[in-house]
């Protein structure tokens, strides 16, 4: 059962990601991105990381992608003024190189010496919360500074008159 | 057929690779930014799977951090995009080459 | 009081150095602004009075200090006359030590007396001679600096410090030859002197390196002691000793203008006449003789070198004397005479008669300085005219100059009773007794003596006798020189007459009851009178040389007084010979063809091929290469973000691939 679900959601995630990368109109990409996020969230559930699955849906699909959609609509590039993609030698080489990277990743993954069995409690809400507020407290707090900086930066950059 | 950590890591690599292709090949800045999100997703899969198989909460914590960074990155990146679009009226990254000599 | 004076030996060079500082300050801050502002040569500018007092006073004080020091040295026991005064450590590196120490022994005592004594007189003379000169303070700064350097040279207790003085006097020589640097020939002559001297200095430097390598020290006492020990034990081979001494002699040849490096000295006459007297006759050019005499202990270990020194000296003596026969410039006659007399001194050193060499050095300093100063007085009287053909009949017009010059000419010619006779005859006698080629050397030296007497009296007759050949404008302004010039002339004339009596040969001295003071002073007590040959032979040779000298004077009288037309007839009879002598045997032309022009051509080749093409090519090539590479590489920085991302990707692929490869292997 787990294998089936993994293959299903994994295929959806990969397929949706490919769609994100290949769509001409950014809006289509954004919608496929939501699908990919959802599939990945499902995979998180498979690994008992319910909290992260929720965060994934809320923050990524709910906030980040919506922000993308907002911006796409805000700048609203007409269809005929979207950049035209051409297949060039350079792009072909890039795809090949990325393929090599995937193969290398697969090689690393194939030799990964992790226990195959299921150890419970890796990504649960309690475990993540406990870790966040004990061992990683400083990092957690600094994250808030990062977000604050991002907010200020975004407002400053997007203001009409700088 | 059991699903081991290798399968998750393979999936992670594939997602990452797809994102890389998007970043390197596309000209539309919006899609490049989204491809970055795809790459981050791939990394998250690896983190969560590893944390889960090792029974270590650190994987989840890192995934959480990645999501936070992704949010911040998206906010700043899109703000930059808006500022650039105001200036150049384009989302084509090949036209945003004012930094070359 | 007298014995304590040695502690103040450092004052001897210190006074001229003080003069350099004071006069230099005046030259820089008082004279230079005046000259730059284009103001005329105001003979009344107060700073000139200060210089006129300061510069001679500095050397005079130095002379007084030298006298006291020598007196207190003389008060010591004969075998204790060696005083070393350590001033400060100068160079110390491992076993190499070169302290700034002063050494006073009989040899350097003679030298400092000559340098400061003659130097003082010439300074006084210069005050009068240079009274119309605009750069008055600059001149005396150089002259004081020269005196200081020369004293360092003779008072040094090691070769390296001597080399400092050696180079110092070379520098001053360069500065003073080119004193009138706005005259092209003077600037060229200065350059020539400097470059030719470099050849010799190179030899001296090599000699020092080799000496240090061999003996492990450059201090005289240590070098000579170790050389003696090593020669006795056989560790110092004759070849090594010969090499060291030959290289030293090369330095002496350069500084003392011997064949083949004598060519700079005649050109050095471009400098002011007192400079020619002080530097290029009395003191600096004798530094080579001093160096050979100082290193006598080394030279005696190398018989081959001794023979070389004697042969070079004798050859130079007769070679330069013949050139002096036909020169028409009064100073050039004296210049070639100086070269010739220096050859005499080297001949003496070469036959082992260092005492005779130093004796001749001292007497020559008196009479040659006098000759130059008298010539300067003549030139002064004739408003700068130096050509003998435009003089004549000056005898009654400048009486003091005439009398002093005649005395000097008699002295150099070797008329008995005058200083030149004793020293020259001493050399002739020692040359005759030389271990190798004795009679030949004697014959050459005696012939030179005859030629010397001839050209000296040719000069006297041409300048002072006969009808006046002066330009009318010049003739009206002929005047005897002021007392600042005639007084030194008179003093030097007295020295030229009396100076020889300190070194009277034993064969004559015994008769009149005067001992050979100089020889006793310079030589260790036991060595005096060690060799005694037939007194009859010595007296016979002496009479012969007197006869040769008188013959030279008689010939000069006959050719230039009795029958003034004969010289022209002789020249017309053998035009090739006359031209060769008149043009100094074309040596300058030969050097120009053989050395100067090839060097210039090589330099030009190096400039155009090596420097302009290779060196500049490498430099420019580096720039071109970087630029071309930049042109290529800049395409990578096209501003296309995708390109940057792609290189990032490639890098990641390669690094991960490498890690996998490593962990797999």
């Amino acid at each position: 059962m787990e294998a089936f679900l993994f293959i299903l959601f994994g295929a959806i995630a990969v397929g949706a990601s490919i769609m994100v990368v290949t769509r001409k109109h950014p809006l289509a990409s954004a919608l496929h991105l939501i699908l990919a996020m959802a599939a990945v969230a499902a995979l998180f559930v498979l690994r008992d990381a319910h909290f992260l699955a929720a965060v994934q849906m809320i923050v990524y699909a709910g906030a980040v992608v919506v922000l993308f959609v907002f911006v796409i609509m805000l700048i609203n590039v007409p269809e005929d003024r979207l950049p035209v993609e051409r297949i060039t030698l350079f792009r072909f080489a890039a795809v090949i190189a990325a393929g090599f990277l995937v193969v290398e990743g697969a090689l690393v993954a194939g030799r990964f010496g992790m226990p195959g069995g299921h150890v419970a409690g890796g990504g649960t809400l309690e475990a993540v919360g406990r870790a966040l507020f004990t061992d990683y407290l400083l990092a957690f707090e600094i994250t808030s500074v990062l977000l604050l900086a991002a907010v200020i930066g975004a407002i400053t950059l997007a203001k009409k008159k700088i | 057929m059991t699903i081991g950590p290798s399968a998750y890591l393979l999936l992670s690599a594939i997602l990452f690779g797809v994102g890389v292709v998007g970043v390197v090949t596309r000209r539309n800045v919006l899609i490049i930014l989204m491809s970055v999100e795809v790459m981050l997703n791939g990394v998250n899969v690896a983190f969560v799977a590893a944390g889960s198989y090792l029974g270590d909460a650190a994987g989840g914590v890192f995934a959480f951090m990645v999501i936070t960074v992704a949010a911040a990155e998206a906010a700043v990146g899109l703000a930059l995009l808006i500022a650039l679009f105001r200036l150049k009226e384009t989302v084509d990254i090949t036209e945003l080459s004012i930094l070359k000599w | 009081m007298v014995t304590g004076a040695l502690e103040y030996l450092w004052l001897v060079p210190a006074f001229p150095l003080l003069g350099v500082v004071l006069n230099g300050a005046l030259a820089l801050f008082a004279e230079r602004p005046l000259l730059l502002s284009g103001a005329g040569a105001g003979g009344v500018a107060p700073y000139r009075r200060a210089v006129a007092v300061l510069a001679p006073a500095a050397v005079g004080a130095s002379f007084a200090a030298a006298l006291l020091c020598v007196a207190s040295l003389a008060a010591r026991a004969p075998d204790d006359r060696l005083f070393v005064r350590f001033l400060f450590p100068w160079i110390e590196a491992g076993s190499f030590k070169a302290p700034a120490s002063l050494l006073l022994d009989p040899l350097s005592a003679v030298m400092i007396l000559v340098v400061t004594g003659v130097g003082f007189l010439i300074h006084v003379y210069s005050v009068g001679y240079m009274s119309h000169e605009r750069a008055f303070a600059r001149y005396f700064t150089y002259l004081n600096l020269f005196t200081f350097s020369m004293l360092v040279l003779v008072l040094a207790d090691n070769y390296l410090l001597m080399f400092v003085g050696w180079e110092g006097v070379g520098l001053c020589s360069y500065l003073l030859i080119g004193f009138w640097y706005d005259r092209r020939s003077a600037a060229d002559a200065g350059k020539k002197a400097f470059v030719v001297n470099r050849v010799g200095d190179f030899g001296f430097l090599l000699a020092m390196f080799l000496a240090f390598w061999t003996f492990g020290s450059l201090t005289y006492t240590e070098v000579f002691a170790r050389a003696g020990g090593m020669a006795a034990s056989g560790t110092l081979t004759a070849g090594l000793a010969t090499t060291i001494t030959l290289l030293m002699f090369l330095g002496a040849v350069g500084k003392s203008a011997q064949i083949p490096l004598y060519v700079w000295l005649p050109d050095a006459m471009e400098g002011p006449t007192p400079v020619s007297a002080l530097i290029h006759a009395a003191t600096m050019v004798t530094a080579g003789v001093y160096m050979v005499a100082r290193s006598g202990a080394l030279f005696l270990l190398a018989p081959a070198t001794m023979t070389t020194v004697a042969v070079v000296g004798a050859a130079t003596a007769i070679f330069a004397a013949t050139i002096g026969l036909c020169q028409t410039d009064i100073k050039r006659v004296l210049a070639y005479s100086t070269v010739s007399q220096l050859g005499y001194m080297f001949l003496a050193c070469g036959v082992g008669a260092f005492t005779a060499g130093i004796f001749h050095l001292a007497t020559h300093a008196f009479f040659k300085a006098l000759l130059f100063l008298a010539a300067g007085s003549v030139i002064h009287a004739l408003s700068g005219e130096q050509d003998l053909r435009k003089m004549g009949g000056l005898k009654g017009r400048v009486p003091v100059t005439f009398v002093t010059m005649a005395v000097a000419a008699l002295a150099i010619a070797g008329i008995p009773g005058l200083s030149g006779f004793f020293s020259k005859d001493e050399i002739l006698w020692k040359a005759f007794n030389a271990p190798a080629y004795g009679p030949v050397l004697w014959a050459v030296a005696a012939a030179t003596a005859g030629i010397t007497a001839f050209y000296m009296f040719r000069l006297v007759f041409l300048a002072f006798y006969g009808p006046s050949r002066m330009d009318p404008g010049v003739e009206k302004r002929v005047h005897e020189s002021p007392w600042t010039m005639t007084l030194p002339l008179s003093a030097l004339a007295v020295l030229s007459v009396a100076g020889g009596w300190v070194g009277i040969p034993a064969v004559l001295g015994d008769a009149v009851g005067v001992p050979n003071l100089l020889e006793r002073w310079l030589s260790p007590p036991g060595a005096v009178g060690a060799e005694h040959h037939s007194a009859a032979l010595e007296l016979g040779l002496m009479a012969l040389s007197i006869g040769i000298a008188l013959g030279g004077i008689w010939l000069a009288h006959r050719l230039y007084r009795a029958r003034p037309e004969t010289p022209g007839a002789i020249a017309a009879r053998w035009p090739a010979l006359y031209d060769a002598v008149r043009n100094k045997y074309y040596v300058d032309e030969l050097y120009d063809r053989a050395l100067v022009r090839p060097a210039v051509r090589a330099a030009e080749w190096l400039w155009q091929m090596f420097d302009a093409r290779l060196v500049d090519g490498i430099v420019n090539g580096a720039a071109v290469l970087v630029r071309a590479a930049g042109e290529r590489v800049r395409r990578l920085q096209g501003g296309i973000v995708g390109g940057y991302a792609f290189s990032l990707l490639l890098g990641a692929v390669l690094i991960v691939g490498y890690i996998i490869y490593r962990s797999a292997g």
Side-chain angles (χ1 to χ4, degrees):
Chain A
M1 183 62 189
E2 198 200 341
F4 169 70
L5 288 175
F6 172 78
I7 291 168
L8 176 66
F9 289 117
I12 291 174
V14 172
S17 296
I18 291 173
M19 294 303 269
V20 168
V21 170
T22 53
R23 288 310 86 194
K24 180 176 168 61
H25 201 287
L27 201 54
S29 293
L31 294 176
H32 281 104
L33 187 58
I34 295 177
L35 182 57
M37 302 286 185
V40 170
L43 289 171
F44 286 176
V45 173
L46 274 183
R47 292 315 314 157
D48 286 340
H50 303 103
F51 169 65
L52 280 171
V55 170
Q56 171 92 358
M57 286 311 291
I58 295 166
V59 175
Y60 254 140
V64 174
V65 180
V66 168
L67 189 61
F68 269 102
V69 173
F70 271 153
V71 171
I72 290 164
M73 291 179 161
L74 182 68
I75 60 179
N76 192 22
V77 183
E79 190 92 12
D80 55 334
R81 284 196 48 206
L82 284 173
V84 182
E85 306 284 353
R86 286 187 211 88
I87 296 176
T88 61
L89 190 63
F90 166 71
R91 300 220 154 88
F92 190 68
V95 174
I96 302 280
F100 269 107
L101 194 65
V102 173
V103 171
E104 284 173 351
L107 282 173
V108 174
R111 294 197 283 135
F112 210 83
M114 277 194 293
H118 192 185
V119 183
T124 58
L125 178 56
E126 191 193 346
V128 173
R130 197 171 289 281
L132 267 183
F133 288 100
T134 54
D135 293 350
Y136 298 97
L137 182 61
L138 182 64
F140 181 72
E141 295 294 346
I142 288 179
T143 308
S144 63
V145 179
L146 172 73
L147 288 172
L148 181 65
V151 169
I152 295 170
I155 291 171
T156 315
L157 283 168
K159 255 171 73 174
K160 278 209 168 157
K161 280 183 184 163
I162 299 174
Chain B
M1 177 180 158
T2 49
I3 300 300
S6 299
Y8 279 93
L9 292 179
L10 179 62
L11 177 66
S12 162
I14 291 171
L15 284 176
F16 189 85
V18 171
V20 165
V21 170
V23 170
V24 177
T25 58
R26 294 304 301 260
R27 292 168 70 178
N28 192 322
V29 182
L30 281 160
I31 292 177
I32 288 175
L33 283 173
M34 282 187 261
S35 301
V36 172
E37 305 298 337
V38 172
M39 287 166 69
L40 291 170
N41 257 312
V43 172
N44 267 354
V45 169
F47 272 130
V48 170
S52 149
Y53 278 107
L54 294 169
D56 190 340
V61 171
F62 272 83
F64 181 77
M65 297 287 175
V66 168
I67 290 169
T68 320
V69 170
E73 171 250 308
V76 176
L78 289 170
L80 273 170
L81 179 71
I82 289 169
L84 269 172
F85 188 78
R86 277 207 198 104
L87 199 68
K88 307 271 279 186
E89 292 281 322
T90 182
V91 289
D92 189 343
I93 198 154
T94 55
E95 289 179 31
L96 302 176
S97 57
I98 48 171
L99 279 183
K100 78 170 175 190
W101 175 62
Chain C
M1 173 245 158
V2 173
T3 43
L6 276 178
E7 289 302 314
Y8 297 97
L9 181 61
W10 58 273
L11 280 175
V12 175
F15 280 123
L17 188 61
L18 185 68
V20 173
V21 172
L22 295 177
N23 289 325
L26 284 173
L28 265 184
F29 302 118
E31 183 174 273
R32 194 158 172 274
L34 206 64
L35 293 182
L36 287 181
S37 70
V44 286
Y47 83 89
R48 291 172 74 98
R49 265 177 233 198
V51 170
V53 173
L54 274 175
V59 183
S62 176
F63 178 57
L67 267 182
L68 285 176
C69 288
V70 174
S72 72
L73 188 76
R76 292 190 174 195
D79 48 359
D80 188 34
R81 286 179 186 152
L82 181 83
F83 176 79
V84 177
R85 177 101 185 109
F86 174 80
L87 295 181
F88 56 90
W90 176 34
I91 298 174
E92 283 186 15
S95 67
F96 180 80
K97 280 195 179 59
S101 296
L102 301 182
L103 171 128
L104 190 70
D105 67 350
L107 178 58
S108 49
V110 172
M111 290 304 289
I112 61 170
L113 286 182
V114 169
V115 170
T116 54
V118 176
F120 172 61
L121 293 174
I122 291 173
H123 273 75
V124 173
Y125 177 92
S126 292
V127 172
Y129 189 82
M130 300 299 275
S131 56
H132 307 306
E133 173 57 45
R134 288 159 56 87
F136 197 64
R138 179 163 68 94
Y139 172 80
F140 278 103
T141 308
Y142 291 164
L143 216 55
N144 275 173
L145 182 63
F146 168 79
T147 311
F148 167 72
S149 306
M150 192 69 201
L151 287 169
V152 169
L153 195 162
V154 295
L155 282 174
D157 95 317
N158 58 70
Y159 283 108
L160 201 63
L161 193 59
M162 183 204 236
F163 190 69
V164 172
W166 188 271
E167 291 297 308
V169 294
L171 168 71
C172 294
S173 165
Y174 165 77
L175 290 172
L176 285 165
I177 293 170
F179 183 71
W180 291 307
Y181 53 80
D182 48 357
R183 222 164 57 194
R184 173 88 200 206
S185 57
D188 282 349
K191 248 187 296 180
K192 186 175 180 183
F194 206 77
V195 170
V196 173
N197 263 301
R198 289 248 69 78
V199 179
D201 296 346
F202 168 72
F204 191 10
L205 268 177
L206 285 185
M208 277 201 292
F209 298 154
L210 202 54
F212 179 71
W213 181 68
T214 311
F215 306 119
S217 173
L218 285 178
T219 308
Y220 300 144
T221 45
E222 289 178 20
V223 169
F224 302 148
R226 284 179 203 173
M230 285 168 78
S233 65
T235 43
L236 181 71
T237 59
L240 192 57
T242 308
T243 312
I244 293 175
T245 48
L246 269 183
L247 286 170
M248 276 186 187
F249 181 56
L250 178 60
V253 162
K255 191 63 78 191
S256 295
Q258 297 295 291
I259 291 176
L261 299 180
Y262 71 91
V263 287
W264 66 269
L265 186 56
D267 285 9
M269 296 302 129
E270 291 287 346
T273 306
V275 170
S276 309
L278 178 62
I279 302 185
H280 305 118
T283 52
M284 183 192 86
V285 289
T286 59
V289 182
Y290 166 76
M291 189 243 271
V292 172
R294 169 61 74 195
S295 317
L298 275 183
F299 276 73
L300 286 173
L301 296 174
T305 310
M306 292 295 275
T307 311
T308 312
V309 173
V311 169
V312 168
T316 309
I318 191 154
F319 183 78
T322 52
I323 297 178
L325 284 175
C326 295
Q327 294 302 309
T328 50
D329 183 316
I330 186 167
K331 285 181 72 182
R332 280 186 182 251
V333 175
L334 296 177
Y336 280 107
S337 165
T338 304
V339 175
S340 170
Q341 298 297 312
L342 288 166
Y344 259 111
M345 299 175 207
F346 277 110
L347 170 62
C349 292
V351 298
F354 297 111
T355 306
I358 293 298
F359 183 26
H360 197 58
L361 188 161
T363 57
H364 175 258
F366 300 147
F367 61 67
K368 188 50 67 62
L370 175 54
L371 281 169
F372 266 111
L373 295 187
S377 181
V378 168
I379 295 166
H380 192 74
L382 297 182
S383 316
E385 184 57 62
Q386 301 194 11
D387 195 331
L388 281 170
R389 291 168 298 190
K390 293 188 176 174
M391 295 181 185
L394 285 172
K395 188 179 163 194
R397 314 278 298 270
V398 285
V400 181
T401 309
F402 166 66
V403 170
T404 51
M405 189 145 197
V407 166
L410 287 170
I412 193 175
I415 298 305
L418 283 78
S419 60
F421 165 72
F422 295 114
S423 56
K424 183 182 283 186
D425 214 69
E426 182 83 0
I427 292 172
L428 285 173
W429 172 240
K430 291 285 163 54
F432 188 78
N433 290 315
Y437 315 114
V440 180
L441 291 174
W442 180 87
V444 170
T448 307
I451 298 172
T452 306
F454 174 78
Y455 67 65
M456 240 356 125
F457 277 86
R458 165 179 175 265
L459 189 155
V460 170
F461 291 137
L462 279 177
F464 294 101
Y465 288 87
S468 165
R469 298 179 299 279
M470 288 178 279
D471 293 335
V474 171
E475 186 159 9
K476 264 184 274 170
R477 281 181 282 143
V478 171
H479 58 284
E480 180 60 288
S481 304
W483 66 269
T484 46
M485 289 163 72
T486 51
L487 194 71
L489 286 178
S490 311
L492 281 170
V494 171
L495 283 171
S496 298
V497 173
W501 291 90
V502 296
I504 188 166
V507 67
L508 290 178
D510 293 347
V512 290
V514 181
N516 190 338
L517 289 169
L518 191 77
E519 188 161 296
R520 203 175 278 181
W521 171 249
L522 284 174
S523 307
V528 175
E531 50 169 318
H532 252 293
H533 295 265
S534 152
L537 181 63
E538 187 173 350
L539 286 173
L541 288 174
M542 200 178 280
L544 195 54
S545 77
I546 294 169
I548 290 171
L550 289 174
I553 296 171
W554 172 79
L555 197 62
H557 182 267
R558 191 172 159 72
L559 286 184
Y560 291 95
R561 280 290 291 142
R563 299 184 185 171
E565 72 284 355
T566 27
I570 294 172
R573 183 102 175 258
W574 293 289
L577 184 66
Y578 178 75
D579 281 347
V581 176
R582 210 174 132 52
N583 291 304
K584 302 161 271 177
Y585 299 112
Y586 300 105
V587 170
D588 276 327
E589 286 75 6
L590 179 74
Y591 281 5
D592 187 52
R593 293 263 164 84
L595 296 171
V596 178
R597 279 194 222 171
V600 169
R601 226 172 292 150
E604 267 174 9
W605 183 84
L606 283 174
W607 158 45
Q608 302 214 319
M609 291 302 295
F610 189 76
D611 201 65
R613 295 209 189 157
L614 192 66
V615 177
D616 289 4
I618 289 171
V619 174
N620 293 341
V624 167
L625 198 72
V626 169
R627 197 192 157 87
E631 285 288 341
R632 301 271 153 90
V633 175
R634 117 190 155 117
R635 283 159 211 268
L636 295 178
Q637 299 260 322
I640 311 291
V641 183
Y644 302 151
F646 180 61
S647 22
L648 207 66
L649 170 63
L650 267 187
V653 169
L654 289 175
I655 290 171
V656 174
Y658 175 70
I659 291 170
I660 291 171
Y661 168 79
R662 266 250 316 255
S663 58

